[in-house]
Amino acid sequence: MVQNENKAAGAFFFATLVLWLLSLSFEIVFNKRNELLCVIAGCCFFQTANWVIRFRFSKDPLFVNTSVSLLHSFIISSSVVFILVNQWLKNGSNGMFEHSQLFGGTWPWSYPALCFSCGYFAYDQWDMLHYRLYNGWIPAILLHHLILLICFSLALYRNVTINYLILTLICELHSIFLHLRKVRRMAGLRDANSTIVRAEWVLNWVAFILARFVSHVLITVKLLRDRHKFGKGIELPLALFGMVGMNLLNVFLGIDLFHAFKREISSQPNSHRHRE
């Protein structure tokens, strides 16, 4: 039964990935959108990183996938911080978060950064489908990537809400600690009483609250406050749909993170008794 569920989910999400690739190819080839080649560059970069890690360190698909995800989180979060600081130093905070800037403007390096991240999500979707790193009829991680691919791609094609989407990628600061925890545990470092693990959990929760949960709620509030400024296009419904989806996934992620925290802390005394 579970295997049938996985196959059905895999077939659906693979079909959506193929449709996405066709739409991207159409934009590049027929509409001469050469700037979208950065999306292909992102796919190739992270696939190359996958091959390097697989060849040099481990052939475990989950370890390789998580390591590449950690690399993406580090690169994109650093890029977002650079973009925001650069914009603030050049023009100050005055008008930086006005609707006209967030909707129709594009801060320097925002477009290629968004393309590069879009390429990663396409690569990661393929890698998880290829190695079946998911479970259930509607795997949350595959749904998350599909929502991002739709929102990112339409924004890149229409060249709108680029800066809004850059702000959503602040959450990659938290993803660093999510992926770091998984890599650490797969490497056998599971002592919940160690200073490194405790510090990691503190940073994990702080980043989850500030960089993911609060930032996405604030972006959603901003969209609702400026809803009358969007006009009658598809941008507002799509943006609200994407942010509602992201906020729901953040709630589920927070619950999963809390359960993981409890398991890791509570398992430590048992391991001490076993050694004794």
Side-chain angles (χ1 to χ4, degrees), residues 1-266:
M1 182 65 178
V2 174
Q3 189 175 8
N4 290 336
E5 289 180 356
N6 286 353
K7 285 184 178 179
F12 170 78
F13 284 102
F14 178 75
T16 60
L17 188 60
V18 171
L19 290 174
W20 171 83
L21 182 59
L22 290 174
S23 74
L24 178 68
S25 301
F26 181 88
E27 288 291 326
I28 294 174
V29 175
F30 294 101
N31 291 337
K32 310 298 183 184
R33 298 290 301 278
N34 292 331
E35 65 272 20
L36 291 171
L37 289 172
C38 285
V39 178
I40 305 298
C43 291
C44 295
F45 175 84
F46 290 108
Q47 183 59 63
T48 302
N50 180 299
W51 289 331
V52 170
I53 294 170
R54 189 178 303 278
F55 178 74
R56 294 292 301 274
F57 300 103
S58 172
K59 296 187 183 300
D60 177 14
L62 184 59
F63 179 85
V64 175
N65 181 272
T66 306
S67 299
V68 176
S69 296
L70 176 60
L71 177 63
H72 165 260
S73 295
F74 181 78
I75 292 174
I76 294 301
S77 60
S78 300
S79 300
V80 170
V81 171
F82 169 78
I83 288 167
L84 293 175
V85 171
N86 179 62
Q87 183 66 16
W88 181 75
L89 290 176
K90 285 177 60 178
N91 300 315
S93 60
N94 186 31
M96 186 173 173
F97 301 110
E98 291 295 324
H99 175 76
S100 58
Q101 271 290 306
L102 295 177
F103 178 79
T106 305
W107 297 321
W109 300 103
S110 291
Y111 196 95
L114 194 63
C115 284
F116 201 68
S117 188
C118 187
Y120 159 77
F121 286 113
Y123 143 79
D124 199 44
Q125 192 84 323
W126 159 250
D127 194 62
M128 287 187 293
L129 288 168
H130 181 62
Y131 290 102
R132 298 187 178 181
L133 304 176
Y134 60 90
N135 287 298
W137 278 99
I138 309 177
I141 187 64
L142 297 183
L143 181 62
H144 168 269
H145 282 23
L146 177 59
I147 291 173
L148 289 186
L149 282 174
I150 292 171
C151 293
F152 283 20
S153 299
L154 288 178
L156 292 168
Y157 297 167
R158 300 167 67 89
N159 206 10
V160 293
T161 67
I162 303 298
N163 293 341
Y164 258 121
L165 290 171
I166 286 295
L167 291 180
T168 67
L169 286 173
I170 292 174
C171 69
E172 290 300 328
L173 285 166
H174 173 242
S175 295
I176 290 175
F177 300 105
L178 279 183
H179 301 315
L180 189 62
R181 174 182 173 271
K182 289 176 67 176
V183 170
R184 172 197 34 102
R185 288 179 62 81
M186 283 187 281
L189 303 175
R190 303 190 176 200
D191 185 359
N193 291 322
S194 71
T195 303
I196 293 177
V197 173
R198 288 182 174 184
E200 178 206 285
W201 270 115
V202 170
L203 293 172
N204 202 327
W205 279 114
V206 170
F208 170 78
I209 293 169
L210 297 180
R212 186 177 294 276
F213 188 80
V214 172
S215 67
H216 284 175
V217 169
L218 289 176
I219 292 169
T220 306
V221 170
K222 174 68 173 172
L223 286 171
L224 291 172
R225 289 184 60 183
D226 290 348
R227 62 188 181 277
H228 62 284
K229 300 178 182 179
F230 274 86
K232 297 181 180 180
I234 194 178
E235 290 84 5
L236 179 60
L238 187 63
L240 287 174
F241 168 76
M243 290 312 302
V244 167
M246 291 299 294
N247 282 304
L248 284 174
L249 290 172
N250 287 343
V251 171
F252 296 139
L253 175 60
I255 294 171
D256 289 344
L257 198 62
F258 178 70
H259 289 157
F261 175 73
K262 285 181 63 178
R263 282 197 305 270
E264 190 154 6
I265 297 302
S266 62

